[in-house]
């Protein structure tokens, strides 16, 4: 029985290492040849596995890109964003969420830029991963806008729908990268500007 459990642990470690190797290979491939079509055969070769192993581990092209996106977000600071979203004060949710989101984008900027650019040209080229991430982000913007309205934080001339649309723009990768790469600002200054823009656009002064 002990031998069987040991062998099971070894297989689990091996499977996780294979998964990590494939994700690393895909990430490196995206950085090396941004914009070029990603072939799973190439990714498998870089990872030292067969193409069938990639499908066995991830299920599909979409599954592979979803796994990469999830891995990037987790490694780049998703727990901090989750903590910010859970803040009971909607105004602090807004500020903390923008700061955490900015740091996430900064940590994975090069790969994220490739994924977003490829998705803009052909969503299926990255397995629809960015489309699903952005759908989830839109849900987050609706949730935050509702919280801001519910707690009386919004300016009188800003509706909940207005707030959701404005948040969608401010919290997007494109807005981050326009300041981070386009203007060459460090991540903390980008966060400061985005928070200030959101505060002035959406929030009533504290009384």
């Amino acid at each position: 029985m002990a031998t069987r459990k040991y062998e099971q642990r070894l297989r689990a470690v091996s499977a996780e290492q294979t998964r990590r190797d494939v994700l690393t290979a895909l990430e490196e491939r995206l950085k090396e040849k941004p914009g070029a079509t990603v072939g799973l055969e190439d990714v498998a070769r870089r990872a030292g596995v067969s193409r069938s192993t990639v499908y066995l581990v991830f299920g599909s092209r979409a599954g592979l890109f979803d796994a990469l996106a999830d891995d990037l977000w987790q490694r780049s600071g998703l727990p901090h964003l989750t903590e910010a979203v859970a803040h009971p004060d909607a105004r602090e949710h807004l500020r903390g969420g923008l700061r955490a989101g900015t740091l996430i984008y900064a940590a994975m900027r090069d790969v994220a830029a490739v994924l977003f650019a490829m998705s803009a040209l052909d969503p299926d080229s990255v397995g629809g991963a960015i489309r699903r991430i952005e759908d989830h982000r839109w849900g987050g913007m609706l949730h935050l806008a509702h919280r801001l309205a519910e707690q009386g934080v919004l300016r009188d001339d800003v509706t909940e729908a207005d707030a959701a649309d404005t948040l969608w723009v401010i919290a997007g990768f494109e807005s981050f990268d326009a300041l981070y790469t386009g203007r060459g600002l460090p991540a903390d200054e980008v966060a400061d500007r985005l928070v200030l823009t959101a505060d002035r656009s959406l929030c009533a002064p504290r009384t």
Side-chain angles (χ1 to χ4, degrees), residues 31-58:
K31 289 179 180 178
E32 289 176 13
K33 300 178 181 178
T37 301
V38 177
L40 296 192
E41 191 73 43
D42 183 25
V43 173
R45 179 183 56 77
R46 289 167 178 260
V49 300
S50 66
R51 190 168 183 267
S52 61
T53 297
V54 174
Y55 278 103
L56 180 65
V57 174
F58 298 98

Side-chain angles (χ1 to χ4, degrees), residues 128-141:
I130 296 301
R131 181 175 53 211
R132 286 185 287 277
I133 287 170
E134 290 291 80
D135 285 346
H136 182 73
R137 185 170 74 86
W138 175 239
M141 300 303 97

Side-chain angles (χ1 to χ4, degrees), residues 45-154:
R45 179 183 56 77
R46 289 167 178 260
V49 300
S50 66
R51 190 168 183 267
S52 61
T53 297
V54 174
Y55 278 103
L56 180 65
V57 174
F58 298 98
S60 64
R61 182 185 186 86
L64 172 59
F65 277 93
D66 278 344
L68 176 64
D70 288 344
D71 184 64
L72 288 170
W73 258 254
Q74 287 289 341
R75 285 192 285 123
S76 301
L78 183 60
H80 297 297
L81 179 59
T82 301
E83 181 180 350
V85 170
H87 199 289
D89 186 323
R91 198 185 297 254
E92 293 306 315
H93 170 177
L94 167 65
R95 293 170 176 171
L98 285 172
R99 292 190 184 283
T102 295
L103 295 179
I104 288 173
Y105 285 145
M108 62 176 192
R109 188 271 161 192
D110 291 346
V111 179
V114 175
L115 291 172
F116 275 91
M118 291 176 67
S119 181
L121 294 172
D122 178 11
D124 290 334
S125 67
V126 292
I130 296 301
R131 181 175 53 211
R132 286 185 287 277
I133 287 170
E134 290 291 80
D135 285 346
H136 182 73
R137 185 170 74 86
W138 175 239
M141 300 303 97
L142 290 172
H143 173 64
L144 176 53
H146 179 70
R147 292 194 68 204
L148 291 168
E150 188 175 50
Q151 294 186 19
V153 175
L154 295 178

Side-chain angles (χ1 to χ4, degrees), residues 89-95 98 144 147-149 152-159 163 166-167 170 194-207:
D89 186 323
R91 198 185 297 254
E92 293 306 315
H93 170 177
L94 167 65
R95 293 170 176 171
L98 285 172
L144 176 53
R147 292 194 68 204
L148 291 168
V153 175
L154 295 178
R155 290 171 27 182
D156 291 340
D157 60 344
V158 176
T159 67
T166 302
L167 289 167
I170 294 173
L194 294 177
V195 169
L196 182 63
T197 300
D199 269 343
R200 289 180 173 176
S201 301
L202 302 175
C203 300
R206 288 188 184 273
T207 57

